[in-house]
Each structure stands twice: as C-alpha cells, then as structure tokens.
Amino acid sequence: MALQAVTVPDIGDFKEVPILEILVKPGDPITVDQSIITLESDKATMEIPSSHAGIVQDIKVAVGDKVSVGSVILILDTTTEILTSPSVVEPVKITPAPLPSSTSTPIASSSSDSSRTAPAVAPSIMADLRRPKNLPPPPLQSIADQPFTKPHAGPAVRHLARELGVDLARVKGSGRHSRILKADVHNFVKQVMNEGSVPGLAIPLTGGGMGIPEIPAIDFSKFGDIEIRPLSRIQKLAGASLHRSWLNIPHVTQFDEADITELEQFRRDLAAEGERRQVKVTLLSLLLKACAAALKEFPTFNASLDSSKENLILKKYYHLGVAVDTPDGLVVPVIKDVANQGLFELAAHLRDLSQKARDKKLSPHEMQGACFTISSLGGIGGTAFTPIINAPEVAILGVSRAQLQPVYQNGELVPRLILPLSLSYDHRVIDGALAARFTQYLRFILSDVRRLLL
Ligand code: CAO
C-alpha cells in the first residue's frame, strides 16, 4: 500500500482558517483536484482540492478545526489498481497526478508498485464492481426511500436559503462537484413559484404557497369603475409577516370577559394626578401591567419555540408589543420592562411610542424584542376578534370595547363594566386549559385592582 498525506496547499495570507465542511469520507475514491474540504474565512469560502488521487484511508481533521498551509487533511492510499478479482470485473485505475501548487508529504509506502491491487475500497463501490456483468442491476430505491444527501453549499448560500425558507437538501447544485450556488437557490424558488408547489420551501413566498391554489386574477373593471391603490411599505411588510404567522402557527382563540368596573373607577381617580404629571393613564396602560403580571404567573406565555421546534425559550424579561393603527398600516412598538415600570411612566411610554409610530419615527430598536403583544380595538368598537400571533411570540391578547352590562350579583342585576378579551395562542406550545387559566387570571387581577398593584 502506498500512503500519501494530503495537506493544505498555499492559500495566500490565510492562517488558522476554520473547516466548514469535510466533503469526503474514509473509503471514498478521489481524483486529483477533487474538493476535499471547505474552509471559511471572514470574507469567503474556499474549497481545497486534493493533490493526489487514491482511496481515502484516514481523515485527520474535523469540522471546526483551524488549519493553515501544510496542515495534514487526510491520508490517501495511492496504489493505482484497486481491483481484487480480474475475472469478475474490469480493473479501475487511479493515476496519481500531484498538483504543482499543492504541498504533499509521502508518509509511508509498503510498495511503490503503482500497478498493485489496493485492498481497501469503499464497500458500496466494491459491491458494484464485483457484480457479474450479466446480472441485472439491483432494484432502484424509490425517491422517498433515499436519504437526502448533505447539501454542499457555502455560508452565504446557506444564509440565503434560510432567509427564503428553502431546504437545501432539495436543491440541485450546478457548481463544481455539485456545489449549490446562490443562482441554484433562486432558480429553485422561481421553479416552485411557477409550479405552485413547495417541495423544499418551509415558508411560502406567494399567496399560492404551501400548495394552496392561487386566487385567480379577475378584471374587476368589467363590473364597474375601479381605482388601483398600491399597498404602503408598512402594509406589505406587515402583510408578509402576518401571512407567515398565520400559515406557520396553529392558532386557537380563547374568549373571556373581565369585570373592570373598579379598575375604570381607579383609572378615573388617577386623572387629577395624571393632569399634574401631564400624562393620562389609559386602560391600555393598566392592561399592560396586568399582562406582565399574567406572564410572570404563566411563563409558557412569555416564551418562543427555538428553530428546531424542540425547545421552548423562556424569557426572564417582560417586553410587550402594542399594535398601533397608523395611516400607513399596522405598526407594533415594544414597551420594554413593563413589569418594572410605574403606571404613569408606562402611560407616558405608551403615549410617546404610539405617537412616534404614527409619525413614522420609530427606530428598529423600538420595534424589537417583544415577548407578547396586545392589540386593542377598544377605542373603536366590537365585541371580539381573533388576532394573529406576532411570531415568534406564542400568544397575543385582543381587547374589544368595554360595555356596561347587567350582571346578576347577590340576588339582583347590577350594571357592571365588562371588557371582552380574545387571547390567540400557539397550540403547539399552549394547551386550551392553560389558555383558559391565563384569561381567568387576567379576569381575576383586572377585577380587583389591588392585585394589580401587588
Ligand atoms: N373599552 C372602552 N373604551 C376604550 C377601550 C376599551 N377597551 N380602550 C380605549 N377606550 C377608550 C379610551 O378610554 C379613550 O376614551 P377617552 O378619551 O374618553 O378616555 C378612547 O377609547 C380612545 O382610546 P385610544 O384607543 O386612543 O387609546 P388607547 O390607549 O386605549 O389605545 C392605541 C392606544 C395605540 C392602542 C390605539 O390608538 C390604537 O391604535 N388602536 C388600534 C390597534 C389596532 O389596530 N389593532 C388591530 C391590530 S390587527 O389589525
């Protein structure tokens, strides 16, 4: 056996470059110039070719290892003939042809005879080679039975695929040694959009995604006068994110009602103090406080699923989003650390952020990091609605208009101010019973303002 170490060739000024991928495994026959590992520098990825042909005997590196010029990558058996029985199959010749630019170190040689038969060959290849020629080929596996091959792509392509929700295992690479290029990902998406099916797409890109038939285009002008108004940038952005949440999250909405008669009285009692401080405590500020308390009590609601969807990330902070209706569409500023803010401070933050939202002056920082969202339509009207969860959050509270209603109490009907609550939750994370307990808890603290202050 003739053994040959293949090392990292001259890669310019790069030193200690991490290995992103190993493209071969022990037993693989490889040719000169075949890519064997991928390195990832700060700016680019590069494939390192083999300086020799042969059968991979041993791989001396692992993904994540840092290598420089001269680092040994693998050991090859460069014996030229790898056949055992000439009567059964044709011999396969592998001709060593070192690259002038690469560095290589012969480390051992049991024989320098290049025509000797090599003992170690990948078992699957040997099985194919040894098959007598007059036998029929083995039965083909169905595509569904075949494992996906590990996609071969650099970090920029992987990043693009993640952004577009494309499963790289489904994409055919057109680069060297079937490496997947950005163009392949774009072509895959185009093909999916044209075909209206999504075999490798986790997130649909159009209204017709997830195999859902596209709504046919209709010329409405056939039926009467029309005007075309383009959607605002905010509507388009919010629309895409709402669509994604709607399709990805199994939503359930729990409806409930809270008696806020005392809470409203308390709010009115604060009016004079609010005037002095030049801030009005709105019902929404009190609801923010109540929700922060409920999130503390029910940590599953203050959480997100991780990307593997196997773990729940529980958050120890209480940042709450508030849906704000602006002339350009829905915007969700985030009020940070609600649990640690006093009522007047919270009311002032809510006022300032909703104003900024309407003036289009919110910074990205002011729209990030929410754990839970409140969408209040109480200032407008309605009795209930089914809000869409603001992923990756796992629940959202919809609030409708509070109304005076007759309630049977201690043997008589009394007028009470009743607030409708609509809690949408991600059923992968939250069970119906937990959701009902959550709204019951909200009812409990909203109906007794002293609890809210605890
Ligand atoms: N029941 C009864 N009255 C209510 C109420 C409720 N649930 N919520 C608010 N009100 C009253 C307020 O008390 C206020 O009355 P006064 O002026 O007499 O005090 C009036 O309605 C207007 O309140 P508001 O809605 O302007 O103020 P807010 O702090 O309650 O809400 C904000 C602020 C930003 C949430 C609100 O302006 C807004 O944009 N709401 C729309 C959110 C939205 O579009 N959600 C849907 C998202 S999905 O498309």
Side-chain angles (χ1 to χ4, degrees):
M1 187 189 304
L3 295 182
Q4 172 74 47
V6 177
T7 60
V8 176
D10 184 1
I11 48 173
D13 291 339
F14 296 102
K15 281 198 185 102
E16 296 289 296
V17 191
I19 296 178
L20 181 69
E21 273 174 304
I22 296 175
L23 308 172
V24 293
K25 56 184 185 317
D28 280 359
I30 61 172
T31 54
V32 172
D33 217 13
Q34 177 173 337
S35 299
I36 48 176
I37 55 170
T38 310
L39 302 182
E40 182 181 35
S41 77
D42 292 346
K43 298 188 184 67
T45 60
M46 48 195 146
E47 286 182 8
I48 301 300
S50 175
S51 52
H52 289 72
I55 308 291
V56 178
Q57 292 293 308
D58 194 10
I59 295 187
K60 296 290 187 192
V61 288
V63 169
D65 284 0
K66 293 187 175 160
V67 291
S68 308
V69 177
S71 306
V72 175
I73 302 169
L74 50 80
I75 308 297
L76 279 183
D77 175 4
T78 57
T79 313
T80 50
E81 281 185 26
I82 56 168
L83 237 265
T84 51
S85 169
S87 63
V88 177
V89 287
E90 298 293 323
V92 175
K93 296 255 183 191
I94 298 175
T95 314
L99 273 186
S101 62
S102 63
T103 52
S104 59
T105 320
I107 54 160
S109 175
S110 57
S111 165
S112 59
D113 180 0
S114 65
S115 66
R116 250 192 66 154
T117 302
V121 182
S124 59
I125 293 174
M126 281 312 296
D128 281 351
L129 293 175
R130 288 196 178 116
R131 181 176 300 283
K133 280 179 181 163
N134 53 354
L135 275 192
L140 287 176
Q141 271 182 301
S142 87
I143 287 182
D145 293 340
Q146 290 173 17
F148 286 123
T149 50
K150 190 165 170 273
H152 178 195
V157 175
R158 287 179 190 280
H159 180 76
L160 175 70
R162 263 198 306 277
E163 266 186 0
L164 296 177
V166 170
D167 176 2
L168 280 179
R170 310 273 183 168
V171 180
K172 199 168 165 2
S174 65
R176 223 165 120 240
H177 303 301
S178 304
R179 190 175 180 79
I180 300 171
L181 310 176
K182 276 188 176 179
D184 298 323
V185 177
H186 285 301
N187 285 339
F188 177 81
V189 170
K190 267 188 220 156
Q191 186 196 338
V192 162
M193 288 172 82
N194 288 339
E195 289 173 1
S197 67
V198 281
L201 209 57
I203 298 165
L205 298 175
T206 65
M210 304 289 281
I212 301 167
E214 187 74 76
I215 296 168
I218 291 177
D219 176 9
F220 298 101
S221 65
K222 284 193 302 198
F223 310 116
D225 283 349
I226 58 162
E227 174 198 331
I228 292 173
R229 184 188 300 160
L231 292 180
S232 69
R233 204 177 72 84
I234 290 179
Q235 281 177 311
K236 283 194 249 177
L237 288 173
S241 134
L242 288 166
H243 191 192
R244 198 169 51 207
S245 291
W246 180 251
L247 288 169
N248 276 296
I249 302 176
H251 281 70
V252 179
T253 306
Q254 168 77 11
F255 301 105
D256 214 331
E257 290 177 333
D259 183 336
I260 57 163
T261 315
E262 270 84 42
L263 188 76
E264 180 59 12
Q265 187 54 51
F266 171 66
R267 191 179 78 85
R268 283 168 198 263
D269 293 345
L270 294 175
E273 174 69 5
E275 243 172 70
R276 202 175 58 74
R277 297 181 184 230
Q278 297 187 318
V279 58
K280 181 172 152 188
V281 174
T282 60
L283 177 59
L284 194 51
S285 339
L286 290 154
L287 288 170
L288 282 165
K289 265 325 241 187
C291 284
L295 293 174
K296 272 193 175 176
E297 190 72 19
F298 296 89
T300 314
F301 284 77
N302 201 44
S304 288
L305 273 177
D306 74 1
S307 53
S308 73
K309 300 189 182 63
E310 288 183 3
N311 303 297
L312 205 55
I313 302 166
L314 299 164
K315 299 160 198 174
K316 307 289 179 189
Y317 51 84
Y318 301 90
H319 303 338
L320 270 71
V322 174
V324 176
D325 179 33
T326 78
D328 285 323
L330 181 66
V331 182
V332 185
V334 178
I335 303 184
K336 306 274 161 54
D337 283 323
V338 171
N340 296 328
Q341 292 193 39
L343 262 183
F344 288 104
E345 190 187 2
L346 198 54
H349 275 143
L350 178 59
R351 176 199 60 201
D352 296 347
L353 283 175
S354 353
Q355 194 52 49
K356 269 184 154 181
R358 292 194 178 98
D359 296 342
K360 298 192 212 168
K361 289 197 174 138
L362 286 173
S363 66
H365 173 71
E366 288 167 323
M367 291 188 278
Q368 287 168 355
C371 312
F372 180 88
T373 295
I374 302 182
S375 176
S376 171
L377 293 173
I380 303 167
T383 54
F385 63 109
T386 54
I388 296 179
I389 298 161
N390 196 10
E393 295 158 37
V394 293
I396 181 169
L397 183 70
V399 180
S400 298
R401 190 161 190 83
Q403 304 225 36
L404 269 181
Q405 289 182 18
V407 174
Y408 198 66
Q409 269 184 353
N410 303 324
E412 55 177 336
L413 283 173
V414 288
R416 306 290 295 178
L417 188 62
I418 305 297
L419 179 73
L421 305 172
S422 309
L423 177 81
S424 293
Y425 58 91
D426 183 338
H427 209 347
R428 295 171 302 177
V429 177
I430 295 162
D431 293 337
L434 193 63
R437 288 192 189 103
F438 186 88
T439 57
Q440 283 291 303
Y441 184 80
L442 270 181
R443 267 173 72 114
F444 172 60
I445 48 176
L446 289 172
S447 63
D448 185 349
V449 70
R450 291 165 305 177
R451 302 258 162 211
L452 197 51
L453 300 177
L454 290 178

